PDB file of all heavy atoms in Angstrom:
ATOM      1  N   GLY A 489      17.512 -89.578 101.103  1.00 95.00           N
ATOM      2  CA  GLY A 489      16.427 -90.341 101.668  1.00 95.00           C
ATOM      3  C   GLY A 489      16.580 -90.502 103.196  1.00 95.00           C
ATOM      4  O   GLY A 489      17.517 -89.967 103.779  1.00 95.00           O
ATOM      5  N   GLU A 490      15.686 -91.299 103.745  1.00 94.00           N
ATOM      6  CA  GLU A 490      15.763 -91.450 105.200  1.00 94.00           C
ATOM      7  C   GLU A 490      17.008 -92.121 105.632  1.00 94.00           C
ATOM      8  O   GLU A 490      17.539 -91.777 106.702  1.00 94.00           O
ATOM      9  CB  GLU A 490      14.528 -92.299 105.659  1.00 94.00           C
ATOM     10  CG  GLU A 490      13.209 -91.477 105.632  1.00 94.00           C
ATOM     11  CD  GLU A 490      12.101 -92.230 106.365  1.00 94.00           C
ATOM     12  OE1 GLU A 490      12.378 -93.260 107.018  1.00 94.00           O
ATOM     13  OE2 GLU A 490      10.979 -91.758 106.265  1.00 94.00           O
ATOM     14  N   TRP A 491      17.564 -93.068 104.837  1.00 91.00           N
ATOM     15  CA  TRP A 491      18.773 -93.763 105.260  1.00 91.00           C
ATOM     16  C   TRP A 491      19.921 -92.761 105.406  1.00 91.00           C
ATOM     17  O   TRP A 491      20.621 -92.724 106.407  1.00 91.00           O
ATOM     18  CB  TRP A 491      19.146 -94.873 104.253  1.00 91.00           C
ATOM     19  CG  TRP A 491      20.386 -95.573 104.656  1.00 91.00           C
ATOM     20  CD1 TRP A 491      20.472 -96.669 105.522  1.00 91.00           C
ATOM     21  CD2 TRP A 491      21.748 -95.264 104.288  1.00 91.00           C
ATOM     22  NE1 TRP A 491      21.792 -97.056 105.656  1.00 91.00           N
ATOM     23  CE2 TRP A 491      22.600 -96.222 104.924  1.00 91.00           C
ATOM     24  CE3 TRP A 491      22.303 -94.300 103.435  1.00 91.00           C
ATOM     25  CZ2 TRP A 491      23.985 -96.198 104.777  1.00 91.00           C
ATOM     26  CZ3 TRP A 491      23.685 -94.303 103.303  1.00 91.00           C
ATOM     27  CH2 TRP A 491      24.499 -95.226 103.943  1.00 91.00           C
ATOM     28  N   THR A 492      20.116 -91.951 104.327  1.00 93.00           N
ATOM     29  CA  THR A 492      21.209 -90.963 104.368  1.00 93.00           C
ATOM     30  C   THR A 492      21.017 -90.000 105.524  1.00 93.00           C
ATOM     31  O   THR A 492      21.999 -89.677 106.266  1.00 93.00           O
ATOM     32  CB  THR A 492      21.264 -90.180 103.065  1.00 93.00           C
ATOM     33  OG1 THR A 492      21.506 -91.082 101.975  1.00 93.00           O
ATOM     34  CG2 THR A 492      22.363 -89.159 103.069  1.00 93.00           C
ATOM     35  N   ALA A 493      19.789 -89.551 105.756  1.00 96.00           N
ATOM     36  CA  ALA A 493      19.535 -88.588 106.829  1.00 96.00           C
ATOM     37  C   ALA A 493      19.774 -89.227 108.194  1.00 96.00           C
ATOM     38  O   ALA A 493      20.286 -88.624 109.123  1.00 96.00           O
ATOM     39  CB  ALA A 493      18.097 -88.045 106.724  1.00 96.00           C
ATOM     40  N   ASP A 494      19.302 -90.515 108.334  1.00 94.00           N
ATOM     41  CA  ASP A 494      19.501 -91.215 109.613  1.00 94.00           C
ATOM     42  C   ASP A 494      21.006 -91.386 109.913  1.00 94.00           C
ATOM     43  O   ASP A 494      21.418 -91.122 111.070  1.00 94.00           O
ATOM     44  CB  ASP A 494      18.866 -92.616 109.542  1.00 94.00           C
ATOM     45  CG  ASP A 494      17.353 -92.584 109.779  1.00 94.00           C
ATOM     46  OD1 ASP A 494      16.857 -91.586 110.334  1.00 94.00           O
ATOM     47  OD2 ASP A 494      16.707 -93.557 109.395  1.00 94.00           O
ATOM     48  N   VAL A 495      21.752 -91.835 108.955  1.00 90.00           N
ATOM     49  CA  VAL A 495      23.183 -92.076 109.182  1.00 90.00           C
ATOM     50  C   VAL A 495      23.943 -90.773 109.477  1.00 90.00           C
ATOM     51  O   VAL A 495      24.796 -90.711 110.326  1.00 90.00           O
ATOM     52  CB  VAL A 495      23.813 -92.850 108.018  1.00 90.00           C
ATOM     53  CG1 VAL A 495      25.310 -92.956 108.195  1.00 90.00           C
ATOM     54  CG2 VAL A 495      23.195 -94.253 107.904  1.00 90.00           C
ATOM     55  N   PHE A 496      23.584 -89.711 108.759  1.00 94.00           N
ATOM     56  CA  PHE A 496      24.156 -88.388 109.059  1.00 94.00           C
ATOM     57  C   PHE A 496      23.846 -87.978 110.482  1.00 94.00           C
ATOM     58  O   PHE A 496      24.747 -87.503 111.221  1.00 94.00           O
ATOM     59  CB  PHE A 496      23.597 -87.348 108.080  1.00 94.00           C
ATOM     60  CG  PHE A 496      23.897 -85.898 108.455  1.00 94.00           C
ATOM     61  CD1 PHE A 496      25.127 -85.363 108.178  1.00 94.00           C
ATOM     62  CD2 PHE A 496      22.923 -85.151 109.051  1.00 94.00           C
ATOM     63  CE1 PHE A 496      25.430 -84.058 108.521  1.00 94.00           C
ATOM     64  CE2 PHE A 496      23.207 -83.792 109.421  1.00 94.00           C
ATOM     65  CZ  PHE A 496      24.464 -83.297 109.138  1.00 94.00           C
ATOM     66  N   THR A 497      22.586 -88.168 110.922  1.00 95.00           N
ATOM     67  CA  THR A 497      22.190 -87.753 112.240  1.00 95.00           C
ATOM     68  C   THR A 497      22.865 -88.588 113.294  1.00 95.00           C
ATOM     69  O   THR A 497      23.338 -88.051 114.350  1.00 95.00           O
ATOM     70  CB  THR A 497      20.655 -87.853 112.400  1.00 95.00           C
ATOM     71  OG1 THR A 497      20.022 -87.120 111.339  1.00 95.00           O
ATOM     72  CG2 THR A 497      20.171 -87.347 113.713  1.00 95.00           C
ATOM     73  N   MET A 498      23.014 -89.885 113.053  1.00 93.00           N
ATOM     74  CA  MET A 498      23.630 -90.753 114.046  1.00 93.00           C
ATOM     75  C   MET A 498      25.171 -90.598 114.070  1.00 93.00           C
ATOM     76  O   MET A 498      25.756 -90.404 115.098  1.00 93.00           O
ATOM     77  CB  MET A 498      23.315 -92.209 113.697  1.00 93.00           C
ATOM     78  CG  MET A 498      24.032 -93.212 114.589  1.00 93.00           C
ATOM     79  SD  MET A 498      23.712 -94.920 114.042  1.00 93.00           S
ATOM     80  CE  MET A 498      24.984 -95.803 114.961  1.00 93.00           C
ATOM     81  N   ILE A 499      25.826 -90.699 112.890  1.00 90.00           N
ATOM     82  CA  ILE A 499      27.258 -90.758 112.825  1.00 90.00           C
ATOM     83  C   ILE A 499      27.871 -89.363 112.873  1.00 90.00           C
ATOM     84  O   ILE A 499      28.758 -89.054 113.684  1.00 90.00           O
ATOM     85  CB  ILE A 499      27.731 -91.471 111.605  1.00 90.00           C
ATOM     86  CG1 ILE A 499      27.167 -92.919 111.550  1.00 90.00           C
ATOM     87  CG2 ILE A 499      29.281 -91.499 111.498  1.00 90.00           C
ATOM     88  CD1 ILE A 499      27.650 -93.780 112.669  1.00 90.00           C
ATOM     89  N   HIS A 500      27.431 -88.433 112.001  1.00 92.00           N
ATOM     90  CA  HIS A 500      28.095 -87.136 111.984  1.00 92.00           C
ATOM     91  C   HIS A 500      27.688 -86.269 113.156  1.00 92.00           C
ATOM     92  O   HIS A 500      28.547 -85.602 113.760  1.00 92.00           O
ATOM     93  CB  HIS A 500      27.757 -86.430 110.672  1.00 92.00           C
ATOM     94  CG  HIS A 500      28.497 -85.151 110.495  1.00 92.00           C
ATOM     95  ND1 HIS A 500      29.859 -85.093 110.170  1.00 92.00           N
ATOM     96  CD2 HIS A 500      28.139 -83.875 110.668  1.00 92.00           C
ATOM     97  CE1 HIS A 500      30.261 -83.864 110.123  1.00 92.00           C
ATOM     98  NE2 HIS A 500      29.238 -83.076 110.426  1.00 92.00           N
ATOM     99  N   LEU A 501      26.365 -86.259 113.466  1.00 93.00           N
ATOM    100  CA  LEU A 501      25.922 -85.420 114.589  1.00 93.00           C
ATOM    101  C   LEU A 501      26.070 -86.110 115.932  1.00 93.00           C
ATOM    102  O   LEU A 501      26.004 -85.447 116.966  1.00 93.00           O
ATOM    103  CB  LEU A 501      24.469 -84.966 114.375  1.00 93.00           C
ATOM    104  CG  LEU A 501      24.163 -84.172 113.096  1.00 93.00           C
ATOM    105  CD1 LEU A 501      22.699 -83.760 113.079  1.00 93.00           C
ATOM    106  CD2 LEU A 501      25.072 -82.911 113.026  1.00 93.00           C
ATOM    107  N   GLY A 502      26.235 -87.431 115.878  1.00 90.00           N
ATOM    108  CA  GLY A 502      26.428 -88.169 117.155  1.00 90.00           C
ATOM    109  C   GLY A 502      25.183 -88.297 118.019  1.00 90.00           C
ATOM    110  O   GLY A 502      25.277 -88.508 119.236  1.00 90.00           O
ATOM    111  N   ARG A 503      23.984 -88.209 117.371  1.00 94.00           N
ATOM    112  CA  ARG A 503      22.802 -88.384 118.141  1.00 94.00           C
ATOM    113  C   ARG A 503      22.658 -89.854 118.620  1.00 94.00           C
ATOM    114  O   ARG A 503      23.004 -90.783 117.889  1.00 94.00           O
ATOM    115  CB  ARG A 503      21.567 -88.023 117.307  1.00 94.00           C
ATOM    116  CG  ARG A 503      21.526 -86.526 116.857  1.00 94.00           C
ATOM    117  CD  ARG A 503      21.261 -85.617 118.066  1.00 94.00           C
ATOM    118  NE  ARG A 503      21.159 -84.216 117.666  1.00 94.00           N
ATOM    119  CZ  ARG A 503      19.998 -83.585 117.491  1.00 94.00           C
ATOM    120  NH1 ARG A 503      18.831 -84.209 117.645  1.00 94.00           N
ATOM    121  NH2 ARG A 503      19.969 -82.309 117.124  1.00 94.00           N
ATOM    122  N   ILE A 504      22.135 -90.015 119.830  1.00 96.00           N
ATOM    123  CA  ILE A 504      22.252 -91.321 120.518  1.00 96.00           C
ATOM    124  C   ILE A 504      21.065 -92.219 120.333  1.00 96.00           C
ATOM    125  O   ILE A 504      21.127 -93.385 120.669  1.00 96.00           O
ATOM    126  CB  ILE A 504      22.504 -91.059 122.039  1.00 96.00           C
ATOM    127  CG1 ILE A 504      22.991 -92.299 122.755  1.00 96.00           C
ATOM    128  CG2 ILE A 504      21.264 -90.477 122.693  1.00 96.00           C
ATOM    129  CD1 ILE A 504      24.363 -92.786 122.364  1.00 96.00           C
ATOM    130  N   ASP A 505      19.940 -91.757 119.777  1.00 97.00           N
ATOM    131  CA  ASP A 505      18.742 -92.543 119.707  1.00 97.00           C
ATOM    132  C   ASP A 505      18.205 -92.597 118.263  1.00 97.00           C
ATOM    133  O   ASP A 505      16.998 -92.383 118.032  1.00 97.00           O
ATOM    134  CB  ASP A 505      17.675 -91.989 120.661  1.00 97.00           C
ATOM    135  CG  ASP A 505      16.514 -92.950 120.890  1.00 97.00           C
ATOM    136  OD1 ASP A 505      16.777 -94.187 120.874  1.00 97.00           O
ATOM    137  OD2 ASP A 505      15.339 -92.493 121.016  1.00 97.00           O
ATOM    138  N   VAL A 506      19.056 -92.938 117.355  1.00 97.00           N
ATOM    139  CA  VAL A 506      18.660 -93.057 115.919  1.00 97.00           C
ATOM    140  C   VAL A 506      18.784 -94.508 115.510  1.00 97.00           C
ATOM    141  O   VAL A 506      19.792 -95.153 115.804  1.00 97.00           O
ATOM    142  CB  VAL A 506      19.605 -92.177 115.022  1.00 97.00           C
ATOM    143  CG1 VAL A 506      19.200 -92.327 113.578  1.00 97.00           C
ATOM    144  CG2 VAL A 506      19.553 -90.749 115.476  1.00 97.00           C
ATOM    145  N   LEU A 507      17.772 -95.013 114.843  1.00 97.00           N
ATOM    146  CA  LEU A 507      17.795 -96.390 114.355  1.00 97.00           C
ATOM    147  C   LEU A 507      17.486 -96.423 112.864  1.00 97.00           C
ATOM    148  O   LEU A 507      16.367 -96.247 112.442  1.00 97.00           O
ATOM    149  CB  LEU A 507      16.710 -97.239 115.121  1.00 97.00           C
ATOM    150  CG  LEU A 507      16.647 -98.728 114.722  1.00 97.00           C
ATOM    151  CD1 LEU A 507      17.998 -99.408 114.973  1.00 97.00           C
ATOM    152  CD2 LEU A 507      15.568 -99.420 115.556  1.00 97.00           C
ATOM    153  N   PRO A 508      18.530 -96.620 112.054  1.00 95.00           N
ATOM    154  CA  PRO A 508      18.289 -96.603 110.591  1.00 95.00           C
ATOM    155  C   PRO A 508      17.658 -97.924 110.095  1.00 95.00           C
ATOM    156  O   PRO A 508      18.380 -98.836 109.668  1.00 95.00           O
ATOM    157  CB  PRO A 508      19.739 -96.447 110.014  1.00 95.00           C
ATOM    158  CG  PRO A 508      20.661 -96.329 111.170  1.00 95.00           C
ATOM    159  CD  PRO A 508      19.916 -96.808 112.362  1.00 95.00           C
ATOM    160  N   ILE A 509      16.347 -97.993 110.191  1.00 95.00           N
ATOM    161  CA  ILE A 509      15.660 -99.219 109.884  1.00 95.00           C
ATOM    162  C   ILE A 509      15.736 -99.602 108.398  1.00 95.00           C
ATOM    163  O   ILE A 509      15.512-100.746 108.057  1.00 95.00           O
ATOM    164  CB  ILE A 509      14.212 -99.162 110.338  1.00 95.00           C
ATOM    165  CG1 ILE A 509      13.490 -97.999 109.626  1.00 95.00           C
ATOM    166  CG2 ILE A 509      14.105 -99.048 111.854  1.00 95.00           C
ATOM    167  CD1 ILE A 509      11.975 -97.943 109.884  1.00 95.00           C
ATOM    168  N   GLY A 510      16.119 -98.653 107.565  1.00 91.00           N
ATOM    169  CA  GLY A 510      16.255 -98.934 106.156  1.00 91.00           C
ATOM    170  C   GLY A 510      17.576 -99.529 105.782  1.00 91.00           C
ATOM    171  O   GLY A 510      17.826 -99.872 104.611  1.00 91.00           O
ATOM    172  N   ASP A 511      18.454 -99.673 106.741  1.00 92.00           N
ATOM    173  CA  ASP A 511      19.817-100.202 106.472  1.00 92.00           C
ATOM    174  C   ASP A 511      19.804-101.727 106.560  1.00 92.00           C
ATOM    175  O   ASP A 511      19.537-102.292 107.615  1.00 92.00           O
ATOM    176  CB  ASP A 511      20.795 -99.603 107.495  1.00 92.00           C
ATOM    177  CG  ASP A 511      22.240 -99.977 107.145  1.00 92.00           C
ATOM    178  OD1 ASP A 511      22.621-101.120 107.300  1.00 92.00           O
ATOM    179  OD2 ASP A 511      22.965 -99.046 106.722  1.00 92.00           O
ATOM    180  N   LEU A 512      20.122-102.377 105.418  1.00 93.00           N
ATOM    181  CA  LEU A 512      20.097-103.835 105.412  1.00 93.00           C
ATOM    182  C   LEU A 512      21.110-104.431 106.354  1.00 93.00           C
ATOM    183  O   LEU A 512      20.849-105.475 106.989  1.00 93.00           O
ATOM    184  CB  LEU A 512      20.350-104.325 103.996  1.00 93.00           C
ATOM    185  CG  LEU A 512      20.296-105.874 103.801  1.00 93.00           C
ATOM    186  CD1 LEU A 512      18.968-106.445 104.220  1.00 93.00           C
ATOM    187  CD2 LEU A 512      20.612-106.237 102.329  1.00 93.00           C
ATOM    188  N   GLY A 513      22.282-103.808 106.502  1.00 93.00           N
ATOM    189  CA  GLY A 513      23.283-104.331 107.412  1.00 93.00           C
ATOM    190  C   GLY A 513      22.806-104.327 108.846  1.00 93.00           C
ATOM    191  O   GLY A 513      23.089-105.286 109.633  1.00 93.00           O
TER     192      GLY A 513
END
Side-chain angles (χ1 to χ4, degrees):
E490 286 192 9
W491 180 86
T492 300
D494 279 341
V495 173
F496 167 80
T497 305
M498 173 186 167
I499 301 297
H500 186 76
L501 299 183
R503 296 291 183 98
I504 195 68
D505 193 35
V506 180
L507 182 57
I509 59 173
D511 189 287
L512 181 58

